[in-house]
Amino acid sequence: AQTVTQSQPEMSVQEAETVTLSCTYDTSESDYYLFWYKQPPSRQMILVIRQEAYKQQNATENRFSVNFQKAAKSFSLKISDSQLGDAAMYFCAYWGNEDNNDMRFGAGTRLTVKP
Amino acid sequence: NAGVTQTPKFRVLKTGQSMTLLCAQDMNHEYMYWYRQDPGMGLRLIHYSVGEGTTAKGEVPDGYNVSRLKKQNFLLGLESAAPSQTSVYFCASSYLGHSGANVLTFGAGSRLTVL
């Protein structure tokens, strides 16, 4: 089964600075999707950004961008101009065609934003 | 636009008691899912449904049952609660499952404590 690893349990960043959250995954598939979800203290899971594996171009959503390295099976999230509202748990997730509808999540990274 | 609604939001049970978590979505989504979230483990799929009247097991199905009698509702049942089932439970829905064009929409979560 595919696995998703987030090696940073906690990260902190100064407001207005840039931070990168790491994610690696293990798969034998060539066609799959990768996601970053944000979970603030309210517990609501919010989609931050999505990347299709067949696309070479890295996805971007305003201040959020990814560095997708397919050969290295790496999918990092970069948050630019960090804001206090970015403080949350961030989960990397993998969804492939062989998983029978099972989206695999990493253990999460808790991001703290310092004013 | 309610999206995905879970009830109850909090519940405390004694070992051996039974209960049902209700998930309702108003987006006409075909696919529905139940996940559990435990510290340091991300989200893990319990059961899922690809349509009304159908259900399937996920990664951690033992001790749980589900039913999808109506397209908009997905029920998660615990017949005999155990302390190991203390967790936060998330319901999610999506349109057409593996299609890259869709994403999971999550409910706000239900915190269950089994004493």
Side-chain angles (χ1 to χ4, degrees):
Chain A
Q2 287 74 13
T3 58
V4 179
T5 302
Q6 293 179 249
S7 59
Q8 306 153 317
E10 297 182 354
M11 290 283 285
S12 67
V13 62
Q14 206 71 32
E15 194 175 6
E17 297 291 311
T18 296
V19 65
T20 298
L21 308 184
S22 301
C23 173
T24 59
Y25 56 94
D26 181 29
T27 185
S28 58
E29 298 179 283
S30 59
D31 185 20
Y32 50 88
Y33 306 91
L34 296 163
F35 306 82
W36 278 99
Y37 279 90
K38 171 185 177 180
Q39 186 180 43
S42 66
R43 272 197 332 229
Q44 184 72 50
M45 294 288 284
I46 303 166
L47 178 68
V48 175
I49 201 165
R50 178 180 72 223
Q51 175 80 43
E52 291 86 349
Y54 65 85
K55 291 186 177 179
Q56 292 186 340
Q57 186 174 6
N58 289 326
T60 62
E61 287 288 343
N62 301 315
R63 297 182 295 107
F64 298 88
S65 62
V66 298
N67 183 5
F68 173 48
Q69 300 290 328
K70 191 172 183 180
K73 297 178 184 176
S74 171
F75 183 60
S76 60
L77 175 70
K78 185 172 79 171
I79 305 174
S80 303
D81 186 26
S82 297
Q83 300 175 359
L84 295 178
D86 294 334
M89 281 289 289
Y90 285 82
F91 292 96
C92 178
Y94 170 102
W95 197 352
N97 291 320
E98 296 181 3
D99 275 340
N100 295 320
N101 291 289
D102 188 354
M103 180 177 281
R104 296 281 171 158
F105 288 84
T109 297
R110 181 174 301 281
L111 178 66
T112 302
V113 181
K114 299 177 180 178
Chain B
N1 189 4
V4 178
T5 303
Q6 295 180 227
T7 53
K9 288 184 169 53
F10 301 93
R11 183 74 186 270
V12 178
L13 288 177
K14 293 181 180 179
T15 297
Q17 286 185 318
S18 63
M19 76 157 296
T20 300
L21 294 174
L22 170 63
C23 177
Q25 54 98 0
D26 61 0
M27 297 169 286
N28 201 35
H29 283 172
E30 292 292 334
Y31 287 65
M32 297 188 75
Y33 311 81
W34 275 108
Y35 286 90
R36 60 178 288 172
Q37 182 181 22
D38 301 296
M41 300 187 74
L43 278 74
R44 292 179 294 167
L45 184 65
I46 304 171
H47 286 281
Y48 66 96
S49 168
V50 301
E52 181 179 322
T54 68
T55 63
K57 295 179 180 180
E59 181 185 1
V60 289
D62 293 343
Y64 305 95
N65 57 76
V66 289
S67 65
R68 183 99 179 267
L69 299 180
K70 294 183 179 180
K71 185 177 182 179
Q72 63 269 33
N73 295 336
F74 194 30
L75 278 65
L76 177 70
L78 286 73
E79 290 186 347
S80 179
S84 61
Q85 294 178 304
T86 293
S87 187
V88 179
Y89 292 85
F90 284 93
C91 178
S93 69
S94 70
Y95 180 68
L96 292 181
H98 277 301
S99 168
N102 69 50
V103 297
L104 296 181
T105 300
F106 284 88
S110 299
R111 180 177 294 279
L112 174 65
T113 301
V114 183
L115 302 176

